[in-house]
Amino acid sequence: MSRPRLTDRILAARVQRTLQGRERQRRTVTRRDGVRYEVDGRWLTNFSGNDYLGLAQHFAVVDALQSAAGRDGAGSGASHLVCGHHAAHEALEKEIADWLGAPRALLFGSGYLANLAVLQGLLGEDDVCVQDRLNHASLIDAARLSGCKLRRYPHNDAEGALRQLRTVPDGAAIVATDGVFSMDGDVAPLRELSLVAKVQHALLYVDDAHGIGVVGAEGRGCAVDAGLAPGDVLQLATLGKALGGYGACVVGSEDIIGHLAETARPYIYTTALPPAQAAATLAAVKLARRDHWRREKLQNLIGHFRQNAQFRGLQLLPSTTPIQPLMCGEEKRALALTTALEAQGFWVPAIRPPTVPDGKARLRITLSSLHTQAEVDALVDALSWARDAVEMGYGNAGASGAAVA
Ligand SMILES: *Cc1c(COP(=O)(O)O)cnc(C)c1O
């Protein structure tokens, strides 16, 4: 048997994706003003971003970035353990630990890297990681990198988590879950999962990429909102979503965080975040803690959107967060809806397999405190128009190339 040629295999895979209508294209944003995005020469109202509190372009955040860059430069120049650790990193770690009421926080280049570091740094091949079926891809990849046994339980099923833990009675264990599920918008049953973890002497790890800044009083996220004590949970806060910047922070006990800082390969062998980025995020955290009105406005918009959408018979998942998916079933239908919405001036990319399970394509609609009620009303009008238009055949004749995510 001869070895397959890698380039042939890649070409075949690309052709197949194209034939199945599953190719993925990027759209280039040329200008942005809050939720208004200029794409391919046209201004669209964006309902797909994760800038839930409208902090990415806040003047105080941008000002902090600019003045820190003027002082410290564009990059950190090295990893944290060599000479890249800066006072701006230190200040941000302290602020986030204080915010979440935990002993210590550790900065990472991104949420993806942080998840790799946590599971690779804490688990080995004799250990087990029990995960929700709908967890973010980075948690799954992280468990694989660690070499541990990976067991998955049905979505939000704490008893299922307990059953899976019992199948591997030896070795250390982590129960890992998204706080707010990134594609569904619902919240994990953290109290129950915390009890399960306690009974099984496991560590509970909550990836709260979409909860931090948004959920609970002061935006402290799902774990604090569920009443978990800081000692009961290890948490991931990402800095690129509600905080409008880039990077991530793992928050937990002195021992666990110290251990990760000294041993986790995805922490040690990578360049530290630019200090200016840390300074910008520090300004964003202060705004997120202080500006309760952003969360209140967001909650009002969420309630308004759901009421209006349900009145029009649009099928939403049960979600109280800014992630409000509209289920479409077939990918083709999701793509046609996206195209119809773009024709009306709205940007809501279709989310398709493998990001979501087969047959569960959706429009992942997200709300931001920057949206106005009038924009939300206009979106609901456009959604119900698009639904009816697609029913009548709009967008079926190859129009989908216009708007693929
Ligand atoms: C976005 C996301 C990540 C990855 O974070 P980045 O900082 O974008 O790498 C991890 N987990 C969840 C649940 C996410 O939604």
Side-chain angles (χ1 to χ4, degrees):
M1 267 214 332
S2 72
R3 190 193 302 286
R5 210 186 342 204
L6 189 56
T7 48
D8 289 348
R9 198 164 76 192
I10 291 166
L11 180 63
R14 295 199 78 186
V15 167
Q16 195 184 11
R17 279 201 300 277
T18 305
L19 291 176
Q20 292 175 337
R22 282 196 176 180
E23 75 273 41
R24 297 184 165 222
Q25 291 167 12
R26 304 178 303 185
R27 307 290 298 276
T28 305
V29 176
T30 40
R31 279 185 291 180
R32 174 179 170 196
D33 180 9
V35 290
R36 305 278 301 156
Y37 280 60
E38 189 188 50
V39 189
D40 298 329
R42 255 185 91 212
W43 284 92
L44 302 172
T45 306
N46 184 14
F47 277 96
S48 66
N50 302 319
D51 185 13
Y52 304 120
L53 299 180
L55 297 177
Q57 289 184 310
H58 191 283
F59 73 91
V61 176
V62 176
D63 185 54
L65 183 82
Q66 284 173 329
S67 46
R71 219 175 32 239
D72 307 319
S76 65
S79 65
H80 284 281
L81 292 188
V82 177
C83 61
H85 189 63
H86 194 281
H89 299 129
E90 198 74 19
L92 178 57
E93 288 178 346
K94 287 224 157 70
E95 177 79 18
I96 291 178
D98 179 66
W99 187 23
L100 302 192
R104 197 171 160 194
L106 188 68
L107 274 182
F108 287 86
S110 74
Y112 196 109
L113 271 182
N115 277 340
L116 295 187
V118 166
L119 297 191
Q120 183 269 335
L122 302 183
L123 296 176
E125 60 182 18
D126 295 330
D127 304 326
V128 59
C129 186
V130 168
Q131 298 205 16
D132 190 290
R133 273 213 166 280
L134 297 188
N135 272 356
H136 192 262
S138 57
L139 281 169
I140 306 294
D141 295 356
R144 290 187 181 137
L145 177 68
S146 80
C148 74
K149 299 176 184 80
L150 171 61
R151 299 281 187 275
R152 300 174 81 177
Y153 57 86
H155 180 48
N156 276 349
D157 179 0
E159 276 179 43
L162 181 60
R163 275 195 298 276
Q164 290 291 12
L165 278 168
R166 285 188 175 139
T167 64
V168 189
D170 311 319
I174 288 180
V175 177
T177 181
D178 285 15
V180 173
F181 284 85
S182 56
M183 294 298 142
D184 290 61
D186 55 346
V187 176
L190 293 183
R191 260 182 231 260
E192 289 83 349
L193 288 171
S194 164
L195 285 175
V196 165
K198 256 191 201 153
V199 165
Q200 287 285 316
H201 304 292
L203 174 70
L204 177 62
Y205 178 46
V206 178
D207 173 346
D208 212 8
H210 297 276
I212 291 295
V214 172
V215 172
E218 244 193 270
R220 296 163 84 198
C222 296
V224 176
D225 197 44
L228 303 194
D232 289 345
V233 63
L234 183 67
Q235 295 181 67
L236 173 70
T238 63
L239 313 179
K241 287 164 182 160
L243 296 172
Y246 191 70
C249 210
V250 177
V251 186
S253 72
E254 174 63 40
D255 279 342
I256 291 178
I257 299 297
H259 182 68
L260 290 174
E262 289 168 39
T263 61
R265 297 171 67 87
Y267 183 73
I268 297 173
Y269 298 108
T270 188
T271 303
L273 270 186
Q277 185 58 67
T281 307
L282 179 63
V285 171
K286 288 182 171 161
L287 287 165
R289 293 184 76 167
R290 191 193 69 194
D291 286 356
H292 301 293
W293 65 267
R294 292 177 195 275
R295 277 179 291 277
E296 280 159 22
K297 184 173 171 207
L298 191 52
Q299 276 310 322
N300 287 337
L301 289 174
I302 292 166
H304 187 75
F305 171 76
R306 287 187 68 82
Q307 200 174 17
N308 259 357
Q310 277 158 355
F311 183 70
R312 302 290 192 91
L314 294 163
Q315 298 257 311
L316 299 176
L317 291 181
S319 158
T320 56
T321 68
I323 303 170
Q324 293 289 329
L326 182 74
M327 298 309 283
C328 302
E330 290 298 303
E331 321 184 26
K332 259 197 193 144
R333 182 149 183 275
L335 286 171
L337 283 171
T338 288
T339 307
L341 285 174
E342 185 168 337
Q344 306 280 303
F346 296 97
W347 197 9
V348 192
I351 306 290
R352 301 176 289 157
T355 305
V356 291
D358 274 319
K360 295 207 168 165
R362 65 198 67 181
L363 298 185
R364 177 181 178 272
I365 296 159
T366 57
L367 300 173
S368 162
S369 62
L370 290 178
H371 286 121
T372 63
Q373 195 157 312
E375 283 168 331
V376 170
D377 286 341
L379 174 71
V380 174
D381 282 345
L383 281 168
S384 60
W385 175 85
R387 172 196 52 195
D388 298 343
V390 167
E391 213 113 293
M392 317 263 281
Y394 179 96
N396 284 344
S400 62
V404 185

